[in-house]
Amino acid sequence: MKDEVDEDEGVEMMKDKVDEDEGLMMMMKKLELDEWGFLPYFYSYFNYHESPDWRSPLNRNYDFLRRSLQNFIDNCDQYESFDFSIGTETVGGVKLCSYAELQEINDNFDSNRCIQKTLCGRLFPGTIGEGSEKRSVIVKTWDFLLPYGHGHVQRPFDFCDQIKLFTNKEVNTHPRLAKLCAICCDIRLAAVYDVKFDENTTRFLSDVLLKDDFGWYDRLNVAIQLANLLVSLHEKDIFLGSVTASCIMIPDKEMNIKLFDFGPAPTRLYGKNNDMTIKCHPGREAPDRGYMSTKSDVYVFGMLLVELITKKELDDSFSDSKEGGKKNVVDESFKEVDPETASRITSLTYRCTEWKPEERPTMKDVLDVLTEAMKMGAKGEKRKRDENEAVEAAAVPLLA
């Protein structure tokens, strides 16, 4: 009897997996294989109304611009009754919501409530559920604002690419990945993440990267968490390709990060032996001639690590330091960092950002170095406390 129950459960799990894969394939077929493309999403009136400046900075011929705007409006009329149905209610086990439901979740995309821009769109706060079940979420859009740009063509591919990762059950339970709770392909491309947003506590790495009160151990902690996530992804031949500080959310005071965004890299979910040229790379990327691998992630991580330890945005000064063989690029304000640790982490950034992928370390190697640096720092802090306590004890006069 037990064997029959186990067999039934196995069949049911297999059926659920097939259903999830089928929903994902149905969405990709509509968006990726030019059945729809980006035009139905581009020709929406709100793309004009939400655009800060619909005029192309490369063209100031106002007659041409007026004709272009009229052409845009005419096409909006044509696409107004477009059928956005995919033929499934879920994608990868995640609910597909309508545009009306999405508007209700985030208060109709009020621009005054926009949290920040992302690599391909914007981030908004939202709420889902009712009564006592109501909870805070974050809505990420893929924008097709005016003027038209070449990145618009890539956006549906990028959307599918990210949905594939965030619905991948082999990795989407990782605590450092934001959890996806709803998807919208109706009129607007958007994803809803089950992450609480509190304007008093929620921060983004890009907000604190240059701040003095973002200390050394918090920076090292963030780097270790991201490295841990990348190690987990690389073990399954999954790579991200483009991550910046603005892609990383810090939703609590304990500095537990959530990755919610990354740039497009169509090879990342298809295994390391499948070479595919990348169409477009918003954000930061490795110089790997358009072919991505796990070593591309190492390069991108190295650039972010440079910003964390130097307390400034990456510029040519890092390349000068690297070429000059400078032993230490750690910001001098981090007094708690001993010379040996500073030298080891500086060397790590140099190795991560080597031009040739084969000369870069693995993310596991990177994680080991960072973890050891954190341990050494903890020992150094304990030694300093012991020394201070000894000095204080010696300064106390003996009682007669």
Side-chain angles (χ1 to χ4, degrees), residues 73-87:
I73 293 172
D74 291 343
N75 278 293
C76 286
D77 291 339
Q78 177 185 338
Y79 279 96
E80 197 166 14
S81 58
F82 188 83
D83 181 9
F84 285 94
S85 61
I86 288 180

Side-chain angles (χ1 to χ4, degrees), residues 10 42 87 102 108 117 145-146 168-169 303 348 366 378 394:
F42 177 62
L102 186 67
N108 202 24
K117 290 184 178 180
L145 304 178
L146 275 61
N168 185 336
K169 290 190 173 180
M303 291 193 289
L348 179 65
V366 172

Side-chain angles (χ1 to χ4, degrees), residues 67-287:
R67 290 195 301 271
S68 297
L69 182 59
Q70 186 58 53
N71 178 66
F72 174 81
I73 293 172
D74 291 343
N75 278 293
C76 286
D77 291 339
Q78 177 185 338
Y79 279 96
E80 197 166 14
S81 58
F82 188 83
D83 181 9
F84 285 94
S85 61
I86 288 180
T88 180
E89 295 182 355
T90 62
V91 169
V94 177
K95 179 184 182 295
L96 269 179
C97 67
S98 68
Y99 184 53
E101 290 173 315
L102 186 67
Q103 287 178 301
E104 187 175 340
I105 289 172
N106 84 331
D107 197 19
N108 202 24
F109 295 95
D110 181 353
S111 60
N112 294 321
R113 301 184 70 229
C114 177
I115 300 171
Q116 70 166 27
K117 290 184 178 180
T118 66
L119 294 180
C120 292
R122 291 165 294 169
L123 216 58
F124 294 88
T127 54
I128 59 174
E130 296 180 357
S132 61
E133 298 296 320
K134 206 165 189 177
R135 68 185 189 275
S136 172
V137 294
I138 287 179
V139 179
K140 182 176 72 175
T141 64
W142 279 255
D143 288 344
F144 298 84
L145 304 178
L146 275 61
Y148 164 78
H150 292 299
H152 287 34
V153 179
Q154 177 68 27
R155 300 255 156 98
F157 292 87
D158 175 47
F159 175 79
C160 291
D161 210 21
Q162 294 208 23
I163 298 305
K164 278 185 281 186
L165 178 66
F166 284 105
T167 59
N168 185 336
K169 290 190 173 180
E170 290 188 348
V171 297
N172 67 3
T173 56
H174 196 285
R176 304 284 72 86
L177 270 183
K179 184 179 179 182
L180 193 62
C181 60
I183 304 165
C184 182
C185 306
D186 179 13
I187 301 180
R188 199 190 285 260
L189 293 179
V192 182
Y193 295 98
D194 200 355
V195 178
K196 181 180 179 181
F197 176 77
D198 184 332
E199 60 183 14
N200 296 316
T201 58
T202 303
R203 296 172 292 171
F204 296 86
L205 185 56
S206 52
D207 296 334
V208 299
L209 198 59
L210 310 183
K211 298 287 183 64
D212 290 334
D213 60 354
F214 185 39
W216 174 256
Y217 293 111
D218 284 339
R219 291 166 185 265
L220 210 53
N221 182 25
V222 166
I224 287 172
Q225 289 181 72
L226 181 59
N228 185 284
L229 170 61
L230 292 174
V231 168
S232 180
L233 294 176
H234 292 180
E235 287 173 350
K236 299 171 179 63
D237 283 338
I238 297 172
F239 37 94
L240 299 179
S242 181
V243 176
T244 66
S246 63
C247 300
I248 298 170
M249 185 185 305
I250 308 173
D252 55 40
K253 294 179 180 179
E254 287 71 37
M255 305 301 294
N256 294 311
I257 68 168
K258 293 286 185 182
L259 182 75
F260 66 91
D261 194 25
F262 44 85
T267 55
R268 78 168 61 86
L269 298 179
Y270 298 103
K272 57 189 177 183
N273 297 319
N274 183 11
D275 289 333
M276 182 186 298
T277 303
I278 309 295
K279 295 183 177 65
C280 161
H281 281 293
R284 184 172 293 165
E285 65 204 55

